[in-house]
Amino acid sequence: MEETIAGAAAAHIPQQRGQSLLETAVRYAEERHWDVFPGTWLEAVDGMQRCSCGDASCPAPGAHPTRPDWASQATGSATVVRRMWQKQPTASILLPTGRTFDALSVPESAGFLALARMERMELTLGPVTLAPDRRMHFFVLPGGAVKVPELVRKLGWSVPSLDLVALGEGAFVAAPPTRFGSRGAVQWACRPTPANRWLPDAEELISALAYACGRDR
């Protein structure tokens, strides 16, 4: 079951409550043409939910890659996706950045502030996730991550002073309904819909995000 932010627009993905991780991963590949790959999963150990990686202090239990060459696993083929999740039905759903989208990651408090500002500015948003580690990820056109340092400097900010992380090639985000141990599931703050299939450029969102991160310091 996917958890969503109250008041968010109706989603096209996932289509219904109770949809399995396999079905959801296939829909991401089929309907959004996103590459996906399976990550770790949660296992019950002595009554506790532990990461399948075996690390009792795992910082992202059930929500990280299983191997160093994870990028080679990522695929947009629904057939291959279905085969991978049939092998491990409870594997987390991970999306590589730097392919069909990049992601701008900010603290949850700054993210909600930026969302309100973007709504007032009538900006067109792409999908936005909210993870249990209290970070939000704004999906933008691929190639956006490399632009961010210069865009932030042009706005008069020092990049290290803002908790704004640009995720491009070689990085990934966890997709709903992936769970982070007992902390809860990744949710959509702004769901994928036919209306936001065309993603914004990082330049369109960076002013609101940098302002919100600056306020959030």
Side-chain angles (χ1 to χ4, degrees):
M1 171 178 171
E2 188 214 4
E3 298 178 41
T4 50
I5 303 297
H12 193 51
I13 300 174
Q15 190 174 42
Q16 60 188 19
R17 292 178 181 272
Q19 196 166 48
S20 70
L21 287 159
L22 183 154
E23 292 168 329
T24 305
V26 167
R27 290 175 70 84
Y28 287 149
E30 284 185 335
E31 298 187 8
R32 298 301 287 202
H33 304 294
W34 289 341
D35 283 359
V36 302
F37 67 100
T40 53
W41 55 92
L42 296 173
E43 299 176 331
V45 179
D46 297 327
M48 301 284 289
Q49 290 288 310
R50 296 286 178 83
C51 185
S52 61
C53 72
D55 182 356
S57 59
C58 178
H64 64 84
T66 60
R67 50 197 247 192
D69 64 341
W70 58 263
S72 67
Q73 286 185 288
T75 178
S77 165
T79 300
V80 177
V81 170
R82 187 175 297 279
R83 188 182 308 134
M84 290 193 294
W85 264 271
Q86 284 173 340
K87 290 179 181 177
Q88 183 47 253
T90 58
S92 53
I93 302 174
L94 305 180
L95 310 175
T97 52
R99 299 190 182 187
T100 50
F101 64 87
D102 284 0
L104 306 182
S105 173
V106 300
E108 175 186 323
S109 52
F112 280 116
L113 180 63
L115 281 175
R117 187 176 178 86
M118 291 171 186
E119 184 176 346
R120 291 195 298 272
M121 297 167 69
E122 298 185 345
L123 294 178
T124 300
L125 291 177
V128 182
T129 64
L130 171 61
D133 61 359
R134 304 187 71 83
R135 294 197 69 84
M136 296 177 74
H137 299 87
F138 290 73
F139 290 19
V140 296
L141 287 171
V146 298
K147 302 178 185 178
V148 167
E150 181 60 24
L151 291 172
V152 170
R153 280 193 289 271
K154 285 182 178 179
L155 292 169
W157 295 96
S158 166
V159 177
S161 71
L162 299 179
D163 189 2
L164 194 165
V165 180
L167 302 174
E169 188 174 357
F172 66 90
V173 296
T178 294
R179 299 194 71 83
F180 278 57
S182 61
R183 287 182 282 172
V186 183
Q187 306 173 60
W188 288 115
C190 184
R191 287 171 169 262
T193 68
N196 65 16
R197 183 173 295 278
W198 300 104
L199 299 175
D201 190 276
E203 191 167 1
E204 298 174 61
L205 307 186
I206 199 66
S207 176
L209 288 171
Y211 171 80
C213 287
R215 285 278 303 273
D216 196 50
R217 289 184 303 171

